Structure formats: C-alpha cells, structure tokens
Amino acid sequence: MSFREKTAWISFSSISVIYASYFWLAFHQRSQGSGPQVAGLVGTIIALVIVQVVLNVAVAIIDPRDAKAPRDEREKLIDLRATRLPYAALAGSVACACIFGAFNAPIIFKTNALLFLLVIAEILRSGCQIIQYRRTA
Amino acid sequence: MGTIRNEIRRLRFEHGEMTQQELAEKINLTRQTVNAIELGKYSPSLEAAFRIAAVFGKPLESVFHYSEEE
C-alpha cells in the first residue's frame, strides 16, 4: 500500500469517527435543549488535527522514502478524479442548504448543517481515492 | 475500448532483474504506479511511456502494444 493510499485511509477513518462522535453529541445536546456547541466544535477540530498529524507522521516514519516522494502522474489523476464527485455533491447540497437556510433556523443548526455537508464531501473524496487506489493496485 | 499491453516485466528481467523500485526511481514514478502499468491497470502518459522505453533503450512500440478489443 502506497503512502498516499495510507493517508487517504487515515483521512477517511479519522474524519468518519471523530465527526460521527461530534454530530451524535450535537444531536443529543440539541434534543436535551443544551446551549451552543462551539466548544464541542473547536474540540472536534483540534482532535482531528492531532489524530491526523500523529497518524501521518507515524506512516511517514515507517516508510520515509515514499513519504518524501512527490505525487506522480497516477496519484495526481486519482486526486483529480476523486475530487470531481464530492465537488458536485457539495455544490448541489450547499445550494439546497442555502434555500433551506432562508428559514428561521438557529445559527448553530445552520452551521452544523453546512459542516455536515463539508464532512460528507471530504469522506466521499477520501473514499473515492481509496477505491481508485485499490482498483489500480 | 482498446487495451495497452507492455513488455516491462520481460525487459526488467533482461536488464539485470531490475526491480520495480529501481525502474520507478529512474522515471520519477512511484513503485506502485510502475506495478499498475506493468499489470495493465493504469495507462501511463505519453511522456512516462517514452521515459520507460528510454530506460530500456528500446523504441516505444517495442515496449507498449495497443490492441483493439472485439
């Protein structure tokens, strides 16, 4: 497995797990009528950065030659292809969110809705990368 | 759609059992990409194909073959 594929797996799994926890907590806090979840969001972002940095550094230490090598043409092509579908999905869903955003929803709900769309797009992108790396492995 | 076949595996063997990693380093690709090209799972760019042929000192058509699928 190449370094880029490993980083795609790290991105896919860390975003899925950490943001799933965040949205689960946000949903429960909202249903219990708790206040704003800004601290939770900041904590989630910090946790995600720490987890990704630690895992990527660990992978780079295991295989430093692969990690130092610049992306080659196949990896660039995979990146481009993997970005196409999530971009279309994100653009469409943000357009829908703007329409629904006109309704009088609380700001934290709107923020979470947009964040959810971004997270889904990023998971889709990593997932598409992994599928294409597997197909050509 | 046609398929692109190649002789990279044989040519590596004939050039002192050159490894995929050694070939990859000579043409600035990753070992995984060389493996994908060799297995016919990825078609290289024209520039990469010329670089591969140059490593083996062969013309392009001796390394890569295009065939129409029926």
Side-chain angles (χ1 to χ4, degrees):
Chain A
M1 195 187 286
S2 70
F3 174 75
R4 312 284 172 210
E5 188 180 346
K6 285 174 191 162
T7 59
W9 274 109
I10 289 168
S11 178
F12 180 82
S13 48
S14 60
I15 290 174
S16 301
V17 171
I18 291 173
Y19 273 107
S21 311
Y22 169 76
F23 285 116
W24 188 82
L25 280 173
F27 178 78
H28 278 268
Q29 282 178 345
R30 185 172 161 74
S31 62
Q32 288 165 6
S34 299
Q37 301 137 352
V38 177
L41 180 57
V42 171
T44 300
I45 291 167
I46 291 169
L48 186 66
V49 168
I50 290 170
V51 167
Q52 289 203 348
V53 166
V54 167
L55 291 177
N56 278 305
V57 167
V59 169
I61 289 169
I62 292 167
D63 196 353
R65 188 172 54 187
D66 245 16
K68 281 179 192 164
R71 278 183 164 79
D72 71 7
E73 58 177 48
R74 173 174 147 270
E75 291 169 337
K76 284 177 186 168
L77 189 65
I78 285 174
D79 266 3
L80 287 171
R81 283 181 179 164
T83 305
R84 196 169 47 186
L85 172 69
Y87 175 77
L90 182 63
S93 53
V94 166
C96 292
C98 288
I99 294 166
F100 289 113
F103 295 111
N104 194 20
I107 186 71
I108 192 70
F109 177 79
K110 289 178 184 173
T111 307
N112 275 336
L114 286 172
L115 183 65
F116 181 74
L117 297 175
L118 275 172
V119 167
I120 293 297
E122 194 53 39
I123 290 171
L124 256 179
R125 195 173 77 87
S126 306
C128 288
Q129 281 179 328
I130 291 166
I131 288 168
Q132 290 188 58
Y133 277 119
R134 287 290 86 208
R135 275 186 185 163
T136 57
Chain B
M1 281 284 280
T3 53
I4 297 175
R5 297 205 177 94
N6 66 75
E7 303 293 326
I8 296 173
R9 178 87 181 85
R10 181 178 61 78
L11 289 166
R12 280 199 301 112
F13 183 77
E14 289 172 1
H15 281 72
E17 307 222 2
M18 183 190 292
T19 63
Q20 288 182 340
Q21 184 65 47
E22 285 166 347
L23 176 59
E25 283 168 10
K26 286 176 196 282
I27 56 175
N28 291 326
L29 295 178
T30 61
R31 188 197 62 74
Q32 289 80 11
T33 298
V34 168
N35 184 55
I37 293 169
E38 208 172 287
L39 296 174
K41 291 181 175 178
Y42 171 70
S43 298
S45 67
L46 195 55
E47 188 186 341
F50 271 113
R51 286 205 304 262
I52 292 168
V55 167
F56 298 121
K58 300 272 185 190
L60 193 63
E61 61 271 24
S62 300
V63 183
F64 294 94
H65 315 284
Y66 178 76
S67 59
E68 293 279 352
E69 270 183 10
E70 292 177 11

